[in-house]
């Protein structure tokens, strides 16, 4: 296995307008992945503008100066490609994977909506996509059992005013209250070349990508002053656990236990990543072995733990379990908390550590095995850490974690006094 977590070549350059261009050549197959990371997510949204970054994830497919409504998608798919976009608290990214001969098409489309969305944005388009987001909120959060858990956990973990306090879906009241000019101003502020990273991975060359980037993006003017997101690194702990119990139309009691840990990309979060894998990944994890297989109080397919990879504040570690029939929420919560607390008192064994590292290694190379997976990762590390080559340190960082470090980090960040617990109780159990 390579010592590096990224054994392919990486080239970086910056256009005069500030656009960072990352290229990683791979001639294995005649395909290229194009990934554009914008340094704007829900953490950047000012008061009264929550949900804007996510709404633009939709609006950016609705036409620009030279591309008709929905034509971006038709052109990429018609060329044999695939495309999508995602938003999280830290960023928004747009991406396509196309046959190598259509690289120029993909770059032209991305440049046109970076520099030409605002003139094409109409009130009709805005109103239509606001309705789409409302439907998404209903379908993904409000009308699904346990669907609003993330909306409830964030305010428990992060105080009002913190950049991670609200979810990317935002407030429907904020989206409804804003006029067309406000949305246009948001795009002009953040969707600028000097606030973006363009990454291309696959069957191309550095010279080809650089020339095409200059051709299509080079004339887009930079934004002189891009507002920084609020600083969220320091969070004053209350010294007391917090919790919420929700009585809802759910099939069984479910408990989420969450803690703030370390920011993604730090050595502390590398330890948290291994810790979360030991705690809650798969049938060999502590949560499964204790709650699903041992005490049999949790449903086997609905128990686990994971970290949420947020880079600009202490990132969450979330453990969750759903009760078997006849098990109440109180017993489930007590069992979940007991397993978490034992991370500081019951040392992680060599077998547990080896298993966790093997799972993480497999997941890492699964992402690195595709051009689109690599393009997204390189875009992330360039945007969040200023250098795509830092990517190569992530897997070695996980593999270097020790059982002693896990115990130390668990004692530091998983204390019961800093715990947030969200409990769902079925309506007929009241």
């Amino acid at each position: 296995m390579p010592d590096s977590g990224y054994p392919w070549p990486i080239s970086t350059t910056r256009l005069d307008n500030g656009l960072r261009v990352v290229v990683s050549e791979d001639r294995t197959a005649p395909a290229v992945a194009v990934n554009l990371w914008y340094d704007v997510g829900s953490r950047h949204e000012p008061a009264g503008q929550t949900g804007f970054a996510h709404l633009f994830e939709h609006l950016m497919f609705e036409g620009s100066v030279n591309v008709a409504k929905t034509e971006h998608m038709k052109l990429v798919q018609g060329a044999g490609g695939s495309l999508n976009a995602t938003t999280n608290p830290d960023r928004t990214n747009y991406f396509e994977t196309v046959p190598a001969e259509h690289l120029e098409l993909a770059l032209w489309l991305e440049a046109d909506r970076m520099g030409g969305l605002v003139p094409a944005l109409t009130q009709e388009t805005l109103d239509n996509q606001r309705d789409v987001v409302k439907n998404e909120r209903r379908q993904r959060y409000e009308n699904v059992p346990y669907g609003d858990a993330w909306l409830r956990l964030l305010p428990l973990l992060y105080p009002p005013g913190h950049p991670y306090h609200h979810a990317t879906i935002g407030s429907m009241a904020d989206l409804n209250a804003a006029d067309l000019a406000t949305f246009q101003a948001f795009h002009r502020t953040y969707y600028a070349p000097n606030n973006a990273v363009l990454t291309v991975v696959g069957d191309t060359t550095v010279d080809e990508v650089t020339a095409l980037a200059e051709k299509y993006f080079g004339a887009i003017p930079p934004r002189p002053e891009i507002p920084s997101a609020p600083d969220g690194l320091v969070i004053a702990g209350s010294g007391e656990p917090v919790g919420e119990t929700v009585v809802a139309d759910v099939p069984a009691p479910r408990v989420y236990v969450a803690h703030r840990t370390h920011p993604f990309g730090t050595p502390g979060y590398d330890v948290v990543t291994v810790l979360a894998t030991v705690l809650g990944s798969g049938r060999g994890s502590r949560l499964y072995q204790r709650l699903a297989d041992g005490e049999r109080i949790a449903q086997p397919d609905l128990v686990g733990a994971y970290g949420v990879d947020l880079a600009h504040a202490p990132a969450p570690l979330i453990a969750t379990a759903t009760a078997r029939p006849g098990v109440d929420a109180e017993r489930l919560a007590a069992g979940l908390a007991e397993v978490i607390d034992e991370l500081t008192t019951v040392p992680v064994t060599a077998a547990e550590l080896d298993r966790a590292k093997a799972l993480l290694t497999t997941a890492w190379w699964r992402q690195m095995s595709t051009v689109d997976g690599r393009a997204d990762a390189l875009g992330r590390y360039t945007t969040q850490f200023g250098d795509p080559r830092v990517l190569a340190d992530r897997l070695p960082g996980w593999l270097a974690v020790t059982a002693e470090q896990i115990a130390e980090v668990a004692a530091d960040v998983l204390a019961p006094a800093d715990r947030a617990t969200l409990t769902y109780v079925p309506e007929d159990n009241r």
Side-chain angles (χ1 to χ4, degrees):
M1 181 178 297
D3 292 334
S4 168
Y6 194 90
W8 296 271
I10 301 172
S11 173
T12 62
T13 188
R14 188 185 290 265
L15 304 188
D16 290 344
N17 61 9
L19 179 68
R20 289 167 288 177
V21 181
V22 180
V23 183
S24 185
E25 183 178 336
D26 180 358
R27 299 291 186 157
T28 304
V32 289
V34 174
N35 198 301
L36 199 60
W37 268 59
Y38 289 95
D39 191 7
V40 56
S42 56
R43 73 186 183 94
H44 297 83
E45 295 165 346
Q49 296 185 11
T50 64
F52 276 36
H54 173 252
L55 182 63
F56 270 104
E57 178 193 322
H58 293 262
L59 291 173
M60 294 277 270
F61 288 98
E62 294 301 304
S64 47
V65 170
N66 298 299
V67 180
K69 183 177 180 179
T70 73
E71 191 176 7
H72 187 125
M73 187 170 293
K74 292 176 182 177
L75 287 169
V76 171
Q77 292 177 337
S82 60
L83 72 166
N84 212 328
T86 65
T87 311
N88 77 10
D90 287 347
R91 57 91 184 113
T92 309
N93 73 325
Y94 300 84
F95 47 93
E96 300 89 6
T97 300
V98 295
E101 63 267 27
H102 295 298
L103 171 62
E104 185 166 7
L105 170 66
L107 293 179
W108 172 70
L109 287 168
E110 289 294 355
D112 200 62
R113 64 182 176 185
M114 176 189 283
L117 179 88
V118 168
L121 183 57
T122 66
Q123 187 68 50
E124 179 185 4
T125 298
L126 175 59
D127 292 342
N128 175 266
Q129 292 308 304
R130 270 196 283 223
D131 288 341
V132 170
V133 171
K134 291 177 187 177
N135 285 331
E136 180 180 345
R137 184 183 178 98
R138 285 190 287 267
Q139 292 171 4
R140 290 182 57 192
Y141 297 94
E142 296 174 355
N143 296 335
V144 179
Y146 321 107
D148 60 354
W150 186 237
L151 306 185
R152 295 178 182 276
L153 281 169
L154 284 173
L156 291 175
L157 288 166
Y158 303 102
H162 189 277
Y164 289 163
H165 178 74
H166 68 277
T168 56
I169 195 72
S171 158
M172 296 304 100
D174 286 354
L175 293 179
N176 287 332
D179 58 15
L180 180 62
T182 304
F183 283 101
Q184 290 172 328
F186 188 88
H187 186 277
R188 290 192 186 98
T189 298
Y190 293 105
Y191 289 80
N194 53 320
N195 199 44
V197 172
L198 170 67
T199 304
V200 179
V201 175
D203 188 12
T204 184
T205 66
V206 174
D207 289 345
E208 180 184 24
V209 174
T210 303
L212 290 173
E214 186 62 55
K215 178 179 180 180
Y216 293 113
F217 291 89
I220 302 174
R223 174 76 181 184
E225 295 183 7
I226 298 174
S228 298
D231 182 7
L233 287 173
V234 178
I235 304 172
S238 65
E240 296 182 359
V242 296
E244 180 181 6
T245 297
V246 181
V247 179
D249 183 15
V250 295
R254 177 177 290 182
V255 178
Y256 295 86
V257 172
H259 290 268
R260 299 183 299 267
T261 65
H262 296 278
F264 168 79
T266 62
Y269 194 76
D270 284 344
V271 178
V272 169
T273 301
V274 180
L275 181 159
T277 308
V278 169
L279 178 63
S281 289
R283 290 174 176 262
S285 69
R286 288 193 174 189
L287 285 174
Y288 187 96
Q289 290 291 308
R290 175 73 70 82
L291 304 185
D293 196 35
E295 297 180 22
R296 301 182 65 81
I297 62 174
Q299 297 184 37
D301 296 333
L302 297 173
V303 61
Y306 53 91
V308 183
D309 297 346
L310 300 179
H312 299 282
L317 171 67
I318 299 172
T320 182
T322 303
R324 287 180 184 262
V327 177
D328 61 31
E330 290 77 11
R331 183 182 176 197
L332 185 68
L336 198 57
E338 184 176 341
V339 179
I340 294 170
D341 292 341
E342 285 182 357
L343 284 165
T344 62
T345 59
V346 180
V348 171
T349 66
E352 285 180 309
L353 202 56
D354 289 345
R355 175 185 173 275
K357 291 178 180 181
L359 289 172
L360 290 167
T361 300
T362 299
W364 180 260
W365 289 116
R366 185 178 293 120
Q367 180 183 6
M368 294 300 109
S369 69
T370 64
V371 291
D372 51 317
R374 275 177 268 153
D376 187 58
L378 290 169
R380 156 177 266 188
Y381 281 80
T382 308
T383 303
Q384 296 184 330
F385 307 111
D387 183 357
R389 294 169 183 83
V390 177
L391 170 69
D393 299 335
R394 188 83 300 111
L395 179 58
W398 296 336
L399 297 180
V401 170
T402 66
E404 291 75 18
Q405 288 174 316
I406 290 176
E408 290 171 2
V409 167
D412 181 39
V413 301
L414 301 185
D418 295 322
R419 182 166 295 162
T421 304
L422 174 64
T423 305
Y424 284 88
V425 177
E427 291 175 340
D428 58 3
N429 283 10
R430 285 181 293 179

